[in-house]
Amino acid sequence: MTKKEKADYIVKELEKLYPHPALPLNYKSPYTLLIAVLLAARNTDVGVNKVTPELFRRADNPGAMVKMTAEEIREIIRTIFMSARKAAAIHDLSQILIDEYDGKVPADFDALEKLPGVGHKTASVVMSLAFDVPAFPIDTHIQRMMVRWGLSEGKNVDQIEADAKKIFPKDKWNKLYLQITLYGRDYSPARSPSLTKDYITAKVGSKK
């Protein structure tokens, strides 16, 4: 089975499993999406969803956020790993959005990645879900599945992203990012001793 055949099969099967995938983070705007994804880096979505209701009740826009100090933000997100650093980043990026972007989240990769605490993956998620710009954010689940499916050698995140963008149709990137992430969590956990439920892997892993 060629990589193209594997990719076509994966797209078809994932569409059956997850016809309407959604990001498992609570958000209601580009700004709250940005903050939620920033918090999710090196933290679980469940953990993030426990702190964002109170955070967004207090501040769901940059203007309200900068009225709090970084320490006040940290107190709300204290259960999040690296809470002090993330609180400072949230406060600082909110001020930048006010000063440079009229309080709006910019629909631009470069501008997003220049914000404190925002890396390429976070920017890609925001561009994909908030602005519907084709992107392929790479998380640990996608890294693992791309390797297990034989679609990438997985040398680094940049290479995996390039491989994913090369093999999958551009108009499907935004949806596939969510579908593969959900599939990795549901059927192919990192510590699973076997992949008996992973029938996609069983199918695409074969060679002709």
Side-chain angles (χ1 to χ4, degrees), residues 108-180:
D108 180 86
F109 278 101
D110 290 338
L112 285 170
E113 291 181 36
K114 289 178 181 177
L115 295 173
V118 179
H120 181 64
K121 182 208 165 185
T122 297
S124 295
V125 174
V126 172
M127 291 297 288
S128 171
L129 300 184
F131 303 114
D132 199 29
V133 174
F136 215 120
I138 303 298
D139 62 11
T140 56
H141 299 289
I142 295 178
Q143 290 182 54
R144 187 170 67 254
M145 298 319 304
M146 286 289 291
V147 173
R148 288 185 175 179
W149 288 337
L151 299 179
S152 176
E153 294 183 0
K155 294 181 179 179
N156 55 62
V157 174
D158 291 339
Q159 185 59 55
I160 292 174
E161 181 178 348
D163 291 339
K165 288 181 174 180
K166 182 178 180 180
I167 194 67
F168 292 114
K170 188 173 184 178
D171 63 349
K172 297 185 182 299
W173 291 354
N174 290 352
K175 191 173 187 179
L176 273 170
Y177 145 65
L178 294 170
Q179 290 172 320
I180 297 174

Side-chain angles (χ1 to χ4, degrees), residues 40-146:
R42 301 185 70 180
N43 288 277
T44 66
D45 293 339
V46 171
V48 173
N49 286 338
K50 288 181 179 179
V51 303
T52 49
E54 175 61 15
L55 180 63
F56 296 153
R57 185 189 70 78
R58 295 277 302 274
D60 62 358
N61 62 81
M65 194 67 76
V66 297
K67 290 181 180 178
M68 292 193 288
T69 65
E71 185 55 40
E72 288 174 324
I73 296 171
R74 183 188 183 185
E75 180 59 25
I76 297 172
I77 65 168
R78 62 186 180 279
T79 56
I80 294 293
F81 179 61
M82 298 175 64
S83 60
R85 184 177 300 180
K86 288 179 183 287
I90 289 171
H91 187 276
D92 292 348
L93 75 80
S94 297
Q95 189 64 58
I96 291 172
L97 293 180
I98 293 170
D99 294 342
E100 301 183 16
Y101 302 102
D102 196 29
K104 307 294 184 182
V105 175
D108 180 86
F109 278 101
D110 290 338
L112 285 170
E113 291 181 36
K114 289 178 181 177
L115 295 173
V118 179
H120 181 64
K121 182 208 165 185
T122 297
S124 295
V125 174
V126 172
M127 291 297 288
S128 171
L129 300 184
F131 303 114
D132 199 29
V133 174
F136 215 120
I138 303 298
D139 62 11
T140 56
H141 299 289
I142 295 178
Q143 290 182 54
R144 187 170 67 254
M145 298 319 304
M146 286 289 291

Side-chain angles (χ1 to χ4, degrees), residues 1 5-6 8-19 145 148-149 179 182-184 186-189 192 194-206:
M1 184 178 278
E5 290 171 333
K6 291 180 183 181
D8 290 344
Y9 181 83
I10 288 166
V11 169
K12 180 178 69 174
E13 293 300 310
L14 288 176
E15 189 62 29
K16 294 177 185 177
L17 286 170
Y18 306 104
M145 298 319 304
R148 288 185 175 179
W149 288 337
Q179 290 172 320
L182 293 171
Y183 182 82
D186 294 344
Y187 291 93
S188 188
S192 174
S194 67
L195 298 176
T196 54
K197 293 183 179 180
D198 198 339
Y199 60 86
I200 292 181
T201 296
K203 177 72 174 182
V204 304
S206 61

